[in-house]
């Protein structure tokens, strides 16, 4: 671990993200024929004045309905999206799984993708080679590692992606829904790996629609509603409140 433990792992202050959406509308048939459109601009607020901190050794959960802003917030923390307002400070090396199979070349084998992922994270080829057997064994892929990613099931892709991420020895792990895919055995193993990371002083943020296990996995829960913080507190109490407000949320 290379992060400075005297500071929080993550500090988010007043973050806002807005999208500009263009809608083409033809007001008359004549304009349709002439291929002229009236372009209407609308602003979509994805995040509004979001503030919180994640401490070292803590797992922070993210819950909220579709469109609440969970994935957008994780992308901002991962530095793949710049906020329109506010600030984000991340103290440490991050490993991110923000979309199942994102970053994989599905035409190439699992083996090639392991090496490409390691190189993309700044590892030398020899360093990836040292980790390779452990990555494949953890992902439980066996000989399938030499098959193209496009032939994998969603569970296989999830196992490989998580295995690569955890073997990069991050300070901070960011996860978006990926642990909802795969069998119960691998989910337990993934949670054990996260506990080990936390035991070494790391931090985890995990977003999920599935409430089952979130209270046990997370120390605190951040509940987003329409881009704003609806609640932030102990996992069990926030999960209970969210479940009452969103009875259709998967359990």
């Amino acid at each position: 671990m290379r992060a400075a433990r005297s500071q929080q792992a993550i500090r988010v202050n007043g973050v806002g993200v807005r999208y500009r959406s263009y809608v083409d509308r033809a007001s008359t048939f004549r304009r349709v024929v002439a291929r002229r459109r009236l372009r209407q601009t609308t602003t979509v607020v994805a995040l509004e004045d979001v503030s919180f901190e994640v401490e070292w050794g803590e797992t922070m959960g993210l819950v909220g309905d579709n469109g609440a802003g969970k994935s957008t917030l994780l992308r901002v923390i991962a530095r793949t999206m710049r906020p329109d307002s506010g600030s984000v400070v991340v103290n440490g090396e991050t490993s991110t799984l923000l979309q199942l199979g994102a970053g994989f070349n599905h035409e190439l084998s699992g083996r090639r993708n392991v090496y490409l992922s390691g190189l993309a994270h700044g590892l030398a080829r020899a360093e990836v080679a040292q980790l390779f057997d452990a990555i494949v064994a953890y992902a439980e892929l066996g000989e399938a590692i030499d098959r193209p990613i496009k032939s994998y099931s969603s569970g296989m892709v999830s196992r490989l992606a998580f295995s690569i991420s955890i073997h990069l020895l991050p300070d901070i792990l960011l996860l978006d829904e990926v642990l909802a895919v795969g069998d119960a055995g691998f989910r337990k193993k993934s949670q054990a790996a996260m506990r080990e990371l936390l035991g070494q002083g790391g931090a985890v943020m995990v977003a999920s629609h599935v409430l089952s296990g979130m209270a046990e996995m997370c120390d605190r829960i951040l509940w987003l509603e329409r881009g704003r913080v609806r609640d932030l507190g102990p996992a069990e109490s926030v999960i209970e409140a969210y479940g009452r407000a969103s009875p259709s949320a998967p359990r």
Side-chain angles (χ1 to χ4, degrees):
M1 298 290 173
R2 289 168 285 182
R5 293 298 185 260
S6 60
Q7 302 171 310
Q8 292 90 2
I10 300 168
R11 188 164 64 252
V12 176
N13 184 33
V15 162
V17 174
R18 291 171 175 77
Y19 299 105
R20 183 167 292 178
S21 177
Y22 295 96
V23 180
D24 288 334
R25 294 191 178 182
S27 60
T28 65
F29 179 74
R30 182 177 178 181
R31 285 202 173 107
V32 172
V33 174
R35 295 184 179 179
R36 283 189 256 170
R37 298 287 188 269
L38 294 177
R39 303 196 70 178
Q40 180 179 3
T41 304
T42 60
T43 300
V44 178
V45 178
L47 295 173
E48 182 71 21
D49 195 26
V50 175
S51 299
F52 64 94
E53 296 174 348
V54 180
E55 302 293 335
W56 292 113
E58 180 180 30
T59 297
M60 173 76 78
L62 292 176
V63 300
D65 296 341
N66 288 330
K70 303 187 300 298
S71 297
T72 299
L73 177 58
L74 286 177
R75 287 198 291 270
V76 169
I77 295 170
R79 302 186 183 95
T80 61
M81 174 182 290
R82 297 182 65 177
D84 296 297
S85 58
S87 63
V88 176
V89 177
V90 178
N91 295 303
E93 297 293 327
T94 61
S95 186
T96 62
L97 276 171
L98 303 187
Q99 184 178 352
L100 184 60
F104 284 161
N105 185 325
H106 287 238
E107 298 298 322
L108 300 179
S109 68
R111 180 183 297 272
R112 293 281 301 278
N113 275 284
V114 169
Y115 275 89
L116 290 174
S117 297
L119 294 172
H121 281 84
L123 273 64
R125 187 174 183 83
E127 292 176 306
V128 181
Q130 289 179 338
L131 296 172
F132 181 80
D133 288 343
I135 290 172
V136 176
Y138 190 94
E140 304 171 3
L141 290 179
E143 295 180 356
I145 194 64
D146 288 311
R147 285 169 29 199
I149 290 284
K150 65 183 180 183
S151 69
Y152 287 12
S153 66
S154 59
M156 294 167 72
V157 174
S158 179
R159 294 201 304 270
L160 181 59
F162 185 84
S163 183
I164 293 171
S165 293
I166 204 68
H167 280 88
L168 293 175
L169 302 178
D171 297 303
I172 300 166
L173 188 61
L174 306 175
L175 305 170
D176 188 4
E177 298 293 349
V178 293
L179 295 183
V181 181
D183 58 37
F186 189 78
R187 286 198 295 272
K188 288 182 179 178
K189 187 161 70 170
S190 301
Q191 291 170 14
M194 289 189 288
R195 286 193 294 271
E196 183 178 353
L197 171 65
L198 295 169
Q200 296 172 359
V204 177
M205 284 196 70
V206 54
S208 181
H209 285 95
V210 181
L211 302 185
S212 175
M214 285 287 280
E216 293 78 12
M217 185 191 314
C218 302
D219 300 294
R220 291 187 297 154
I221 297 286
L222 175 67
W223 174 7
L224 289 177
E225 185 175 75
R226 297 180 182 178
R228 286 184 168 272
V229 177
R230 166 89 180 251
D231 199 0
L232 172 60
E236 193 168 320
S237 62
V238 177
I239 287 292
E240 183 179 349
Y242 175 63
R244 289 197 305 267
S246 304
S248 61
R251 297 303 195 270

